[in-house]
Amino acid sequence: GAGVSQSPSNKVTEKGKDVELRCDPISGHTALYWYRQSLGQGLEFLIYFQGNSAPDKSGLPSDRFSAERTGGSVSTLTIQRTQQEDSAVYLCASSSTTGVYGYTFGSGTRLTVV
Amino acid sequence: LAKTTQPISMDSYEGQEVNITCSHNNIATNDYITWYQQFPSQGPRFIIQGYKTKVTNEVASLFIPADRKSSTLSLPRVSLSDTAVYYCLSGSGNTPLVFGKGTRLSVIA
C-alpha cells in the first residue's frame, strides 16, 4: 500500500478484556516495529520483526502482550486481560531495509481501557 | 534508554531559522543520525538522516561534525505548521531505534 495502515484507529475496551491491533505495512518492507506512546511521552519500543528471523520481543512489558506477523506482511499485536495502564497510542512502523533509511509510521491505534 | 540527549522544548517566531542540537557522545561507528517530526495524533515522520558532514533536503539540513558526538537539525524560516515534537536518534539497521522524549518546538506568530 501507499503507507502503513493501522486498525482500528480508536479502541475503547473494558478492563480485563483482550484486544487485537492490526498493522498492514508498506508492501515489500521486511522490517516491522511496534511502539507505544503514552500521553506526552516518547515512544516505547515493544517488538521488532525482520524478515523470517525470530522477533525481538525485548520491549514487551509483560506476558499479556504478544505479537505475530503472518506471511511476512500483516502484524497483529494482542493484549490480553487489559489494564488501565495499557491505555496509550500503539504505533506500527515498517522499513525497507533494517531501518537505516528511516521508518514509515502508521497513524496509530488509540487504546483506552476503562 | 535513548542514546541521544536533546532539549526538552524550544520556542521560535515565524520566519526564523531554528537549530536543534542533539548530543550522542557514545555513537557507534555504524550508527546513523536520524531525525523525525511528530504532530499531535500522528505517528512520527522521517525528516532527514546523515552519517557525517552536512545533509540537506527540501525540509531541513543536518550538520554532523567530524567527531560525530553531536548533530544539529536546522529548519529554515519556520512557520506555525512546524510546531511539533522533533526526535533525534542514533542507530544502525541491526536494532530498533530508541526514541527519547524529543524536543517540543513551538512556533509563535
Side-chain angles (χ1 to χ4, degrees):
Chain A
V4 176
S5 178
Q6 292 189 245
S7 61
S9 55
N10 282 285
K11 176 72 176 179
V12 180
T13 190
E14 292 181 349
K15 178 181 173 181
K17 301 278 190 178
D18 298 351
V19 294
E20 286 189 351
L21 312 180
R22 176 189 168 101
C23 174
D24 198 345
I26 291 175
S27 178
H29 278 192
T30 58
L32 186 148
Y33 314 80
W34 283 97
Y35 290 84
R36 74 175 175 181
Q37 187 172 33
S38 300
L39 188 63
Q41 302 298 309
L43 281 73
E44 175 187 5
F45 165 72
L46 296 177
I47 189 169
Y48 160 50
F49 296 89
Q50 172 57 260
N52 295 321
S53 302
D56 176 354
K57 304 179 182 179
S58 61
L60 294 178
S62 77
D63 59 7
R64 296 187 295 106
F65 289 73
S66 63
E68 63 177 19
R69 187 179 186 191
T70 55
S73 181
V74 172
S75 178
T76 302
L77 177 69
T78 301
I79 309 174
Q80 296 179 310
R81 304 181 302 282
T82 52
Q83 304 295 312
Q84 288 187 329
E85 61 263 28
D86 299 334
S87 295
V89 176
Y90 289 81
L91 291 158
C92 174
S94 68
S95 64
S96 59
T97 58
T98 49
V100 170
Y101 300 108
Y103 301 175
T104 302
F105 279 86
S107 295
T109 294
R110 181 175 299 278
L111 176 66
T112 303
V113 182
V114 298
Chain B
L1 293 176
K3 298 191 289 185
T4 61
T5 302
Q6 54 184 122
I8 294 175
S9 64
M10 294 181 69
D11 295 333
S12 177
Y13 288 101
E14 276 192 296
Q16 289 187 329
E17 177 184 80
V18 171
N19 296 308
I20 306 175
T21 298
C22 177
S23 296
H24 25 83
N25 290 317
N26 298 314
I27 189 168
T29 303
N30 294 335
D31 286 352
Y32 283 74
I33 304 301
T34 312
W35 286 80
Y36 288 82
Q37 175 191 56
Q38 186 178 26
F39 298 115
S41 302
Q42 295 185 24
R45 181 177 76 106
F46 172 87
I47 300 177
I48 197 166
Q49 183 179 76
Y51 185 79
K52 61 181 178 180
T53 65
K54 177 183 176 181
V55 179
T56 297
N57 61 22
E58 65 278 5
V59 176
S61 294
L62 177 61
F63 301 91
I64 305 172
D67 66 6
R68 303 203 328 122
K69 293 184 182 299
S70 67
S71 59
T72 299
L73 175 73
S74 181
L75 305 172
R77 299 179 298 283
V78 294
S79 64
L80 294 176
S81 63
D82 293 317
T83 294
V85 178
Y86 293 81
Y87 297 94
C88 165
L89 301 98
S90 69
S92 66
N94 299 322
T95 56
L97 293 175
V98 178
F99 285 76
K101 293 188 177 181
T103 297
R104 186 172 300 275
L105 173 65
S106 298
V107 180
I108 307 163

